[in-house]
Amino acid sequence: MERNRYRLGDNVIPIRYKLWFEPNASTLRFKGIADITVKVAKPTNEFVLNSKELQITKASVTSRGISSTAAIKLYEKHQRLMLSIPKRIGGECTIHVEFVGMHTDRMAGFYASRYNDGKEQKVMLTTHFEANDARSAFPCFDEPSMKAVYDVSMTIDNALSGISNMPIAEERSIGGGKKLVVFQTTPKMSSYLLYMGVGEFEFVKGNAGKLPVRVITTPGKKQLSALALEYAITIIQMADRYFGIKYPLPKMDLIAVPDFAAGAMENWGAVTFRESYLLGDKEKTSLQGKQHIAETIAHEFTHQWFGDMVTMKWWDDLWLNESFATIKGYEFTDEITKMWKSIDQFYGRRVSGAFDADELMATHPINIEVKSADDANSIFDGISYDKGSTVLYMLEDFVGKKVFKDGLRRYLKRHKYSNATKHDLWRALQEASASNGVKLPIVETIKEWIEEPGYPVISIGKKDGGYALQQKRFLLSGAHAKGRWNIPIVYFDGKKEGRFLMKGKSYFLKSSAEWVKVNYRQTGLFRVIYDSETLEWIGRAIEKGILTNRDAWGIENDLFVMTRSGQYPLKKYLDFVGKYLMDVGYPSASELSGHLNWLHLMLHNTSLSKDVEALSVKFHKHILDRVGWRSRNGDNPENSLLRPIAISALGILGDKETLSESNRIFNAFVDKGKWIPSDIKGPIYGNAVRSGNPKCTDKLLLSLYQKRDLPEDKNKALAALGVAPGESKARKALGISLSKEVRIQDAYILHVMVSSNAEGNGVVWEWTKKNWKRLMDTYDSVTLMMPHFVEDMSFVSDASTLNDIKRFFSKKSNMRDDIKRAVAKTTEKINANIAFMRANIRDK
């Protein structure tokens, strides 16, 4: 088996699966039969499939009407099943396998999700197969390039409903309280996109033209489906128009799953979601919650074309699926209502995430070699989603929206129901560029961005006749590393916009302008350092509204990170903020708030804390005075995004007026049942905890979390438990995170809240060490959740804890493949924290 340890090879290729399952929510065991029609290129008597944690009870291979019983051998380490028959056969044949598996609670494979219907605990059976867990539900050729069609049937209780990728073709009673549900044949697709669900469901139905669209929930939650249904109908029609290819399946289901490790999963025609990513209320869900639901639906619907219809050949191009779905998720949402300014939020969430993910030596290129499907789990990260989507956004701006859309349509039509690579996309974009009369060096421009780690920082100095630009790779540590990119640059000189492609290490921009803003509208993935004179001009341009909030976001973001890395003085950063950025709007105000909060956390109880806190109070009070505590008729949606940021930050800073008003609102909620507006509910809960409000007990917050209410609000109640001041309360909150009262998918929420709490984060590492084995047992690598518990340590800023973290993870028993990169990133960030403290603090 060692010779084929990573890939199955291309000698035996699946054509069709005929699958039958008998799931059982009582015994948590399922039986199944797989009849797989395959094509054998070169005659063989050994058939190797993927299989994981399955008991194989019977197997045979049939060729030309002759069936041969197969010898069964399982290789658990490599997740392989070898079936051997006496004689070699070639051509088309059928592999027959009978098997038994388990419905585990690890949120992967064919698993059990538990919920309470208001009377008793019930179980929903559901699947999640990406990247490599179809093999834990049935023996298969579990590689994305091995596409086949699927005929799925299930034997289930009469009282239950069955869901799969396709509509039901037949449903008939077979006696004994059971029925057989047979689904229509799927299009040709990859194994990881197959879906099966069994349970008591509620359905809310609509139509996108003639296409049936359903939102599916567990009982008692369908009243929270209308919002998602409305967005789904709008977005799928929008995607039809954009891609120029009609959605090819005969139905679209959106399924809310109570226990779900990821945010959502693009199973073709049967998309699954965490409840908080799908369910909401038109009146009660916050604007941010509505946007999050719309963006998630748009992301997964984009995958129906870009990922499902056309799929990467292997996992090293995973980024292409996720990056494209990420940027289109924001762009499609932006079209739903321009007032939401979703593209501005793309900067605050994704572009910022790209910078953060790629400013370390412990990063990786967007395109990285993936040897096995297990390795693929480690690259569902900020590089694949955030950096990749930012690079594609930069490429779209470089070639133009028309050329970009034309290229995508060519790519999809050419590889429909098949597989492709990044090179196929570049080729289609290059063709589209030429056919539109634009000659752009697309492959040459994109190459380093995809194949090399890191991103550039450009330094700009004013010279006679213009501006001198120099590029180098940016690292948070300030260290030097190789790196040179072809950089598409857009600039603004106060009067006009210009463009050029910076190909070399240096470039001279001829200009007589008094100042120039490079990376205008922030379309590029690079940072900029200006000389002092130019920076002052830019500051005044921000203050006067000549530059947009998006440009203000870029300037502040770059200045902060230069300060964070020791390349710009903290005092100068604070002076610039106080002088020019006090009136900025979204997304700049949101990012600046986060940076002031980080400084407050790092500098807490040091000689500089008063300076930072005074500026932060002034900034956030200014926002709150501008937006008010409650929304008003005709309120700008931007206010709904900034309001909770200001209230929360002022609560963290201990502002008495803010804490008093927060407690008044909270007490009215407890005593009189007065509704707290959803956009400020999280800050109100948090500030009640911070101030020690006796009515805001752990018991009350847990009851709010466990209620059958808006998923968005449940998570806000849980998060509030993690902001309690003092180490004893922090330990208690961390203990609650692993109790039966908190779903295992949500435990990380308390961990991250405590770690970012200045008065509690000192206990996080000791608690994590103590509970590490339990965490590893709870969170399988396929959940992608363990890196959270490592990266939360990135707020540490002392050498002794850093050394302890290094010692701990140097032990083989504490390390796992899915956290290796998280450990490297976290230790590098802690080193940067220590360097920052040494550079700025003399009393610590």
Side-chain angles (χ1 to χ4, degrees), residues 655-729:
D655 181 68
K656 291 181 180 179
E657 184 181 346
T658 304
L659 292 174
S660 176
E661 179 63 10
S662 296
N663 278 311
R664 187 193 68 77
I665 295 171
F666 185 83
N667 291 340
F669 163 69
V670 174
D671 298 337
K672 301 176 183 178
K674 194 168 182 180
W675 175 255
I676 304 173
S678 283
D679 64 343
I680 64 169
K681 187 169 285 189
I684 297 301
Y685 288 164
N687 287 348
V689 171
R690 292 182 184 101
S691 63
N693 187 323
K695 294 179 180 179
C696 189
T697 62
D698 291 352
K699 184 178 180 181
L700 174 61
L701 290 171
L702 279 171
S703 71
L704 291 171
Y705 163 71
Q706 292 161 352
K707 273 186 177 179
R708 294 162 54 75
D709 206 341
L710 285 173
E712 173 191 42
D713 291 348
K714 289 159 65 77
N715 289 343
K716 289 172 181 175
L718 183 65
L721 285 166
V723 304
E727 293 189 354
S728 62
K729 291 182 178 179

Side-chain angles (χ1 to χ4, degrees), residues 350-360 386-387 390 455-456 474 519 522 524-527 553 557-558 561:
R350 297 303 187 177
V351 181
S352 183
F355 282 131
D356 183 67
D358 212 30
E359 63 194 13
L360 306 170
D386 299 342
K387 183 183 180 183
T390 303
Y455 61 83
F474 176 79
N519 205 3
Q522 295 299 129
L525 182 62
F526 57 91
R527 298 197 183 279
W553 174 90
N557 199 301
D558 292 350
V561 174

